[in-house]
Amino acid sequence: MLLDAKIPDGPIEQKWDNRKSELKLVNPANKRRYNVIVVGTGLAGASAAASLAEMGYNVQSFCIQDSPRRAHSIAAQGGINAAKNYPNDGDSIWRLFYDTVKGGDYRSREANVYRLAQLSNNIIDQCVAQGVPFARDYGGLLANRSFGGAQVSRTFYARGQTGQQLLLGAYSALMRQVDAGRVDLHSRFEMLDVVVDEGKARGIVGRNLVTGEIERYVGDAVILATGGYGAVFFLSTNAVNSNVTAAWRAHKRGACFANPCYTQIHPTCIPVSGDHQSKLTLMSESLRNDGRVWVPKEKGDKRPPDQIPEDERDYYLERRYPSFGNLVPRDVASRNAKAVCDEGRGVGQTGLSVYLDFADAIDRMGEQVIRERYGNLFEMYERITGENPYSGPMRIYPAVHYTMGGLWVDYNLMSTIPGLFVLGEANFSDHGANRLGASALMQGLCDGYFVIPYAIGDYLAGHSFSELDTRADAFEASHREVESRLDALLAVNGDKTVGNYHKELGLLMWEYVGMERSEEGLTKVLSEIPALREEFWQNVKVPGANSHFNKNLEMAGRVADFLELGELMARDALERSESCGGHFRAESQTEEGEALRKDDEFSFVSAWEFNGVGETPTLHQEPLEFQNVKLTQRSYK
Amino acid sequence: MTLNLHIWRQEGPDRPGKLVPYKAEDVNRDMSLLEMLDVVNQDLIKRGEDPIEFDSDCREGICGMCSLVINGVAHGPLNGTATCQLHMRHYRDGDSITIEPWRSQAFPVVRDLVTDRSSFDRIVQAGGYISINTGNAPEANALPISKVDADLAMDAAACIGCGACVAACPNASASLFTAAKISQFASLPQGQPERSERALRMVDQMDEEGFGNCSNHGECEAVCPKEISISTIASMKRDYVKAALTV
Ligand SMILES: Cc1cc2nc3c(=O)[nH]c(=O)nc-3n(C[C@H](O)[C@H](O)[C@H](O)COP(=O)(O)OP(=O)(O)OC[C@H]3O[C@@H](n4cnc5c(N)ncnc54)[C@H](O)[C@@H]3O)c2cc1C
C-alpha cells in the first residue's frame, strides 16, 4: 500500500489556497443527488453535517447518545485557540503553526498544521455569528487568555464550558438543517461496520440502540467523526460511551490506523478513590499557575499535610526544573507524579496522588483572589472529594485524556479507504506526538466547518457511483457479520462481566502502555492482551438479549474492540523505540531523564494495516519532512 | 454502609412498570450514586438478572445525559448538582433511596430509568438557532457586545438540556429549557433578526410535544443543575406575546 498524503505544492502559506483552486466542484443543482453519511455529532461531526447540508447535500447524521448535543466535546473546559492576535502580543498564524508543530514534538505534518492555524480565525468568526457567548472584556470585545504554557494569549473561552458552548453552536446549526429537511437525524444508533463496495465506502451498518434492530444506510461518502479512544484505559477523562468501535471496524475494512501509541496524559485530575471508580475528572491545568506540587521527602510518611514541616516536603517539580517549576508541560508533570508515587511517596489513602498546594498563593494574594480565579474548580473538587481545598492542599494524579493517534488520513482528510473521511479526534492528523491545550476544539471545528466541505466535493465530482441499495451483497455480508458478532457476545454466558474485563485491560494498558513504556513491559503486555482477549471470548457474561435497550451489550462490543486496539497500541509503542511527546520510552531518555527523540530513525507516521485478529499487522511509513521549522530538543531545566 | 433501594423497573414504553427493592451493600462514601448503581448492576449480572438501565455519559455534570428522580427530587438533594455528581457521602447507613425516571408524557420511558427526550431536539429545531451558513460570518470583533449582555447570554446558555425542569414541574412544562435558549439569543445582537419568529415557533413546538404550561411554581429553577433563572421564562413570555400581537 502506498501512502500518498496528497500535500499540495507551493510554499506553505499557499498550499491550502492552491489545493482549493485545483479541487473539483459539484454543480449546485447536483449536490442534492449525493447522500453523505456523517457518524458522530461532536464538534467535528456536527459542524461537518451542518455545513454539508447548508451546501445542499443530503446528510444522514448518527450518534450514540439520545441527542447530538451530548457528544463528548461538550465536556471540554478550557478553551479554543486562534491566531487573531487581539491582545497584540505578537501572535500570528506562523506562531500558532510553529508552536503546534513544536508542541507535537515534530511528529505532525507541517502542511496540515499550517492550514489549521490559517483557518483558526474563521472558526471564531463563525462561532460568534452563531451566538456562542464567548467571554468578553468591558469594552465589549472578545477576551483571551494564555493556556497550557503558551507565551501568547490566544485562547478564547466561555467560562469553564467552552466545549459545551461551541458544541451547542454546531448543534444548533445542525438542528437548523434538520428543520430545513436536509439532515436526517439518527440518535441512539451505534455504527458497527463500514460497507465497502467496489473499493469505495458506500454505507454503514449498525444497531438501533433502542430496539436492537440492525439497520443499513447507503451513501456516496462516509464521514467518521467518532472521537478518541482514551477509554481503552478504562479510567480516563473520556465519557462512559467513548469508544474506538467505529474507527476500529473501519480499520478492519482497510483503513490504516496511524500512531496508535500516541496518547496524552493530563497531570491535574482528581485521583482515584477506590475500585468502584468509573471515570476520572479533569481539572483545568491553569491550577498549576498558582498551586505548588509536592510530596513528603520520606517514603510512607502518612502524617496529614499540615503536620509535615516545610523542610520535610519535596517540591519536586521546582527542584528538578528550576526555570519552569510547576509549569512544565503535561507529559513531564505527569511522569514525575507517577515516579514519586512509585517510590512510595504518594499521598492519600491509595498512595496514588500528589499534593497541589495553594497555601502560599492564598498567603500572598488572599483567599478572595484565589476564589475569583479558581472558585468553580475548587467547588468541583470539593463536590467530588468532600475535601475543602481552601483549608488544605488538593490531591491530584495524572489521567489519560486525549489520543493523538487515529485513522490515517491524507491532506484531504480521506482515509486509505476511498470515500471514507475521518475528522476530529478520530483522525491522527494535526497534533503529532502531543497535543497542545485548546487545540483539539480548534481542529475538530476546522475539519468540520472548513476542510471537509471542500474535500468532499472533489471526491464526489471525481468519481462515478453505481446504483446501490441496502440489499446489495456488500450490505448483506456486513449485516451478517455484525449480527453474528452480537450473537456471539450474548452466547458466551461465562462468569465475568464486561466491566471486569474493561478494568483488567485498563490496568494492563496503564501499567505498560501508559506514561512510561519499556521494551520489557511492552513485550510482556503483547502476550497478556491477547490472552485476556481470548479469555473474554470464553468467559464474558453479557446479560439480556439483542432485542432491547441493552447497555451491557453495547459495552461488550466496545470492550471487544478495545482488546484488539490495545494490542496494536503496544505494538506501535514497541516499534517506536524513541521517546517523543506523550510517548516516553524508558530506553530513550537524556541524562536528565527527558524524552529523547531519534529524528534520523523515526521522523515518520506509523500507519498500520490490519491483517486479521491476532495476526501481525503491516507497518507503512509516511515520512515527515520539515521544510519550515527546525527540529530542536525540548528542555525545561 | 448498606442502603435500601427502590428502583423503577419497566421493560419498555408500553409495559407496566414497578418499584423493585434492592439492597446495596458495602457502599463507599466516595462513590457517586451512579457508581453505586454500577456496583449493584455487576451483582445483578453475576446473579443472572437483568441489570438496571440508566443513562449517563460524561459523569461530570455537563452532558445532560443522566436523569434520575431521587427520593422524589429530580437529580436528588444537592442544589445545582446533576445526578452524576451526587456522592454517597450525603447518605447514611440504612437509608432508603427511591430512584425513578423523569416522568412526563413528552419523555416516554425507553427502559427502566431511560427516557426518550427527542422532543427537546425538536423544540430546538423550531428556531433554536441563528441562521448563518458556514463561511458567511463577519469578523468576530466587528460587533462589540457589552459584557453584561454577554454574561446574561452565557447564564442562559449554560443549560445542559437534561430535562430536570420538566420532571420537577407539576405541569411537566418545558418552559425553563425553552426559555433558556430563547433568552440566550434575545440577549445578543445576533439573535435579534429572528427573535419574534423564534419565540413563536419554539413555544408552539413545546405545546405540540405535549409539555404543559408554566404556572410559576418555580420547581424547575429549584432542581436545575445549572441554576438557570426562572426570569428567563418571564422574558420568553414577553417575547411570545409581543410576537403574537405583531403577526
Ligand atoms: C474533560 C475534557 C476536557 C477537554 N478540554 C479541552 C479544551 O479545553 N480545549 C480543547 O481544545 N480540547 C479539549 N479536550 C479535547 C476535546 O474536547 C476533544 O478532543 C474533542 O471535543 C473531540 O471532538 P470530536 O468531534 O472529534 O469527538 P466527540 O465529541 O468525542 O464526538 C464523538 C461523536 O461520535 C459519536 N460516536 C462514536 N462512536 C460512534 C459509533 N460507533 N456510532 C455512532 N456514533 C458514534 C458519539 O456519539 C459522538 O457524537 C478536552 C477533552 C476532555 C475529555
Side-chain angles (χ1 to χ4, degrees), chain A residues 109-170:
Chain A
R109 245 186 234 149
E110 277 190 340
N112 282 58
V113 179
Y114 197 87
R115 174 178 65 190
L116 176 66
Q118 277 177 310
L119 292 170
S120 66
N121 293 339
N122 304 43
I123 297 171
I124 303 303
D125 298 344
Q126 185 65 31
C127 296
V128 166
Q130 289 170 342
V132 169
F134 283 120
R136 289 176 182 267
D137 56 32
Y138 285 96
L141 301 179
L142 293 159
N144 289 123
R145 64 181 170 204
S146 146
F147 195 74
Q151 285 167 310
V152 292
S153 292
R154 60 161 75 103
T155 303
F156 294 77
Y157 60 100
R159 296 204 183 134
Q161 290 139 262
T162 316
Q164 180 200 26
Q165 295 309 315
L166 296 174
L167 183 59
L168 293 181

Side-chain angles (χ1 to χ4, degrees), chain B residues 46 120 126 147 164 246:
Chain B
K46 284 190 176 145
F120 269 15
K147 184 165 166 26
T246 46

Side-chain angles (χ1 to χ4, degrees), chain B residues 35-77:
Chain B
E35 287 169 344
M36 186 266 296
L37 289 179
D38 288 341
V39 173
V40 169
N41 272 343
Q42 295 294 307
D43 286 347
L44 288 178
I45 296 169
K46 284 190 176 145
R47 290 211 304 265
E49 293 178 39
D50 276 347
I52 303 152
E53 298 289 0
F54 60 91
D55 262 332
S56 82
D57 200 23
C58 76
R59 296 204 173 187
E60 48 187 87
I62 191 77
C63 74
M65 194 94 179
C66 62
S67 41
L68 302 181
V69 175
I70 301 161
N71 285 341
V73 182
H75 288 310

Side-chain angles (χ1 to χ4, degrees), chain B:
Chain B
M1 55 184 145
T2 300
L3 297 167
N4 299 306
L5 308 178
H6 303 273
I7 298 180
W8 186 261
R9 303 299 309 260
Q10 182 174 344
E11 278 184 11
D14 308 321
R15 307 291 292 276
K18 61 171 192 282
L19 284 170
V20 176
Y22 297 93
K23 229 180 197 49
E25 321 229 20
D26 298 322
V27 175
N28 165 325
R29 8 185 2 255
D30 289 325
M31 286 178 172
S32 70
L33 184 115
L34 297 183
E35 287 169 344
M36 186 266 296
L37 289 179
D38 288 341
V39 173
V40 169
N41 272 343
Q42 295 294 307
D43 286 347
L44 288 178
I45 296 169
K46 284 190 176 145
R47 290 211 304 265
E49 293 178 39
D50 276 347
I52 303 152
E53 298 289 0
F54 60 91
D55 262 332
S56 82
D57 200 23
C58 76
R59 296 204 173 187
E60 48 187 87
I62 191 77
C63 74
M65 194 94 179
C66 62
S67 41
L68 302 181
V69 175
I70 301 161
N71 285 341
V73 182
H75 288 310
L78 294 195
N79 284 343
T81 304
T83 301
C84 63
Q85 299 279 74
L86 172 63
H87 286 75
M88 299 316 292
R89 66 181 74 93
H90 302 288
Y91 292 91
R92 261 169 295 160
D93 190 37
D95 277 358
S96 285
I97 308 180
T98 303
I99 302 178
E100 298 164 90
W102 284 174
R103 292 199 189 278
S104 153
Q105 203 191 340
F107 290 161
V109 169
V110 172
R111 193 178 172 88
D112 295 340
L113 305 169
V114 177
T115 58
D116 175 356
R117 290 170 285 187
S118 51
S119 46
F120 269 15
D121 285 335
R122 290 188 293 272
I123 293 177
V124 177
Q125 283 155 27
Y129 48 75
I130 286 168
S131 297
I132 167 96
N133 283 357
T134 302
N136 287 354
E139 158 41 59
N141 256 348
L143 184 67
I145 300 174
S146 86
K147 184 165 166 26
V148 178
D149 289 340
D151 284 348
L152 268 178
M154 182 62 217
D155 289 343
C159 169
I160 59 175
C162 62
C165 46
V166 175
C169 177
N171 309 339
S173 171
S175 286
L176 193 63
F177 168 77
T178 310
K181 196 53 17 192
I182 289 177
S183 73
Q184 173 195 344
F185 291 146
S187 310
L188 298 170
Q190 293 90 335
Q192 300 314 312
E194 298 165 288
R195 182 169 176 171
S196 299
E197 199 200 336
R198 177 180 307 117
L200 280 180
R201 284 191 64 206
M202 289 182 76
V203 171
D204 288 349
Q205 186 66 36
M206 174 173 86
D207 291 345
E208 203 167 297
E209 296 291 344
F211 293 103
N213 274 318
C214 170
S215 45
N216 291 319
H217 285 271
E219 298 287 344
C220 52
E221 186 185 65
V223 297
C224 175
K226 293 295 152 187
E227 304 183 305
I228 309 273
S229 164
I230 198 169
S231 66
T232 54
I233 299 182
S235 105
M236 168 178 83
K237 285 183 173 171
R238 273 198 304 278
D239 277 8
Y240 184 80
V241 170
K242 227 163 59 195
L245 290 176
T246 46
V247 250

Side-chain angles (χ1 to χ4, degrees), chain A residues 39-46 62-65 67-68 70-81 147 155 162-163 167 186 189-192 204 225-228 236-239 241-247 279-282 330 400-403 423-427 435-445 558, chain B residues 57 60:
Chain A
V39 187
T41 59
L43 289 180
F62 300 85
C63 69
I64 288 176
Q65 290 80 4
S67 163
R70 305 198 206 284
H72 192 49
S73 294
I74 202 94
Q77 304 168 353
I80 176 167
N81 286 333
F147 195 74
T155 303
T162 316
L167 183 59
H186 308 267
F189 175 90
E190 183 167 21
M191 173 200 136
L192 296 173
I204 60 171
T226 46
S236 76
T237 63
N238 283 10
N241 290 298
S242 297
N243 68 87
V244 76
T245 289
K279 78 146 311 181
L280 295 171
T281 303
L282 172 84
R330 289 177 178 178
V400 173
H401 177 54
Y402 184 87
T403 48
L423 322 184
E425 192 173 339
N427 73 23
R435 175 179 70 79
L436 290 184
S439 287
L441 302 181
M442 169 171 76
Q443 183 227 330
L445 290 179
R558 294 174 198 155
Chain B
D57 200 23
E60 48 187 87

